[in-house]
């Protein structure tokens, strides 16, 4: 078994206490460090602490050591671990270190040098970028994703799952008195993704006019469609956001975006036409939603940028409300 030890470090011009407080929020609802939404979020079955089990994407691990504000270690089920540690350097600076140690077995001996290492290194460096930006407001030398990493990211991007048309998609559910076909495809809405349904109109490349819009405290829906002699159809984009607390931070991981389609045919010709179209419709619907989901994720602000902006907003609020 081939041993692997991979180390990434970053010197941050901020007190260790400031950076340690950010580390304590890792995997939380307002995680300022893990590079979401470009990469799958780190999630556990309970708050960060010894015994918490979870991971990110297909990588699974368990928290086996946690020193608040200083260090957290995650052990893999098959052996090996990775850890993040904050080390004070002086009153105004610290060093953040990520260490991975593992032994490669079976197919992982091939997958690690070809693919896993490159994604791992990019995710860790982007996390360190977020540490630096969240703590100081800027990043001196941000990491850049290589073409190979971008390709791997595209290939591994989450795929939509089939669901019933959601109850909250009221515009879709009430579009026609009689519906001859309906389906819905859904993806999670990670932190940082746009919650305005209008931002998702690109799913259909702007090819169809807007037929309606509804907003709600926890999300909203936009309805696009077209009427023709043989059939009418509507495409609904429903964005259901995670709950937001009084401090503006998300609460929970329940955000999701759903593309629903409803069709009403007018005569035999319309039914015959749609009998052909419905064979390719699911493939196209999934591909369009997945492509737009990734495009918006890549354009979204990083976790560090979101934390920096939230900190500035809180500081501005305190300044405005100071007596």
């Amino acid at each position: 078994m081939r041993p692997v030890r991979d180390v990434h470090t970053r010197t941050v011009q901020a007190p260790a206490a400031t950076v340690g407080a950010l580390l304590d929020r890792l995997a939380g609802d307002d995680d300022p460090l893990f590079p979401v939404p470009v990469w799958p979020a780190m999630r556990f079955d309970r708050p960060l602490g010894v015994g918490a089990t979870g991971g990110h994407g297909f990588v699974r691990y368990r928290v086996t050591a946690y020193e608040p504000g200083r260090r957290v270690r995650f052990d893999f089920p098959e052996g090996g671990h990775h850890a993040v540690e904050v080390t004070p350097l002086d009153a105004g600076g610290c060093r953040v270190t990520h260490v991975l140690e593992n032994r490669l077995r079976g197919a992982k001996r091939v997958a690690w040098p070809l693919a896993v290492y490159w994604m791992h290194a990019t995710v860790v460096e982007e996390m360190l970028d977020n540490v630096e930006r969240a703590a100081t407001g800027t990043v001196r030398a941000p990491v850049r994703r290589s073409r190979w990493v971008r390709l791997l990211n595209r290939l591994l991007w989450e795929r939509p799952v089939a669901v019933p048309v959601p109850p909250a998609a009221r515009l879709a559910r009430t579009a026609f008195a009689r519906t001859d076909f309906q389906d819905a495809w859904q993806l999670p809405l990670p932190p940082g993704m746009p919650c305005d349904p209008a931002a998702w109109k690109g799913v259909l490349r702007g090819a169809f006019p807007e037929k309606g819009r509804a907003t709600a405290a926890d999300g909203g829906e936009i309805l696009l469609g077209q009427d023709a002699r043989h059939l009418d159809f509507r495409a609904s984009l429903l964005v259901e956001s995670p709950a937001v607390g009084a401090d503006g931070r998300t609460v929970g991981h329940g955000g999701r975006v759903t593309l629903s389609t409803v069709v009403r045919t007018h005569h035999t010709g319309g039914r015959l036409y749609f009998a052909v179209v419905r064979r390719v419709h699911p493939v196209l619907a999934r591909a369009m939603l997945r492509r737009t989901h990734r495009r918006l994720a890549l354009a979204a602000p990083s976790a560090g940028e979101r934390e920096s902006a939230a900190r500035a907003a809180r500081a501005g609020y305190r300044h405005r409300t100071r007596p």
Side-chain angles (χ1 to χ4, degrees):
M1 294 181 293
R2 179 183 173 186
V4 166
R5 177 178 169 84
D6 183 70
V7 181
H8 295 255
T9 64
R10 183 75 58 92
T11 299
V12 181
Q13 299 304 317
T18 298
V19 175
L22 297 171
L23 179 65
D24 290 340
R25 291 161 56 190
L26 192 64
D29 296 332
D30 61 343
D31 183 346
L33 303 186
F34 210 78
V36 179
V38 175
W39 302 100
M42 179 185 285
R43 294 294 186 236
F44 292 108
D45 60 354
R46 66 195 78 172
L48 185 66
V50 174
T53 301
H56 63 275
F58 57 82
V59 185
R60 303 286 90 189
Y61 39 80
R62 180 172 179 268
V63 179
T64 56
Y66 177 46
E67 299 174 47
R70 182 176 178 272
R71 179 176 179 267
V72 58
R73 169 171 162 154
F74 314 93
D75 281 23
F76 302 116
E78 67 279 8
H81 71 275
H82 68 114
V84 186
E85 184 170 354
V86 179
T87 305
L89 296 178
D90 52 42
C94 63
R95 181 172 59 248
V96 183
T97 305
H98 182 281
V99 177
L100 179 144
E101 294 184 354
N102 205 351
R103 290 186 176 273
L104 303 180
R105 300 174 174 86
K108 291 183 179 180
R109 298 176 66 181
V110 177
W112 172 260
L114 288 181
V116 176
Y117 166 75
W118 302 102
M119 291 188 292
H120 160 76
T122 301
V123 169
V124 172
E125 287 297 324
E126 290 188 13
M127 183 183 73
L128 295 177
D129 282 354
N130 287 331
V131 171
E132 189 175 354
R133 186 179 296 279
T136 71
T138 187
V139 180
R140 288 168 295 177
V143 65
R144 296 187 180 276
R145 301 178 195 113
S146 67
R147 291 183 179 180
W148 179 231
V149 168
R150 293 198 299 269
L151 175 60
L152 293 170
N153 177 270
R154 180 183 296 111
L155 293 174
L156 294 174
W157 200 261
E158 191 161 5
R159 285 163 170 74
V161 297
V163 296
V165 176
R170 297 180 183 87
L171 296 179
R173 298 174 70 88
T174 61
F176 304 129
R178 171 183 56 82
T179 299
D180 297 306
F181 170 86
Q182 64 180 32
D183 74 350
W185 299 93
Q186 191 173 90
L187 278 170
L189 193 73
M193 297 282 278
C195 296
D196 182 354
W200 293 83
K201 290 175 67 172
V203 168
L204 299 179
R205 297 181 178 271
F208 303 103
E210 185 175 324
K211 295 292 185 178
R213 186 179 299 205
T215 58
D218 59 348
E221 181 186 12
I222 191 168
L223 192 70
L224 309 175
Q226 189 74 57
D227 297 335
R229 290 184 178 181
H230 57 304
L231 60 80
D232 305 330
F233 90 93
R234 299 289 185 268
S236 157
L237 288 158
L238 174 70
V239 180
E240 297 173 281
S241 310
V244 178
D247 60 357
R249 296 174 177 172
T250 58
V251 179
H253 313 312
R256 54 196 176 185
V257 56
T258 308
L259 171 63
S260 304
T261 304
V262 292
V263 176
R264 175 178 63 185
T265 58
H266 295 313
H267 47 63
T268 301
R271 289 189 289 274
L272 291 173
Y273 169 81
F274 192 71
V276 176
V277 171
R278 71 184 298 168
R279 293 180 178 274
V280 298
H281 164 77
V283 177
L284 294 176
R286 291 196 302 267
M288 292 187 295
L289 180 59
R290 184 170 180 255
R291 181 189 63 241
T292 302
H293 191 268
R294 181 171 182 269
R295 176 177 60 81
L296 292 176
L298 291 173
S302 69
E305 289 170 332
R306 297 194 301 273
E307 173 63 19
S308 183
R311 180 174 298 177
R314 291 193 294 270
Y317 176 77
R318 287 194 296 270
H319 177 75
R320 290 192 303 271
T321 56
R322 185 178 299 164

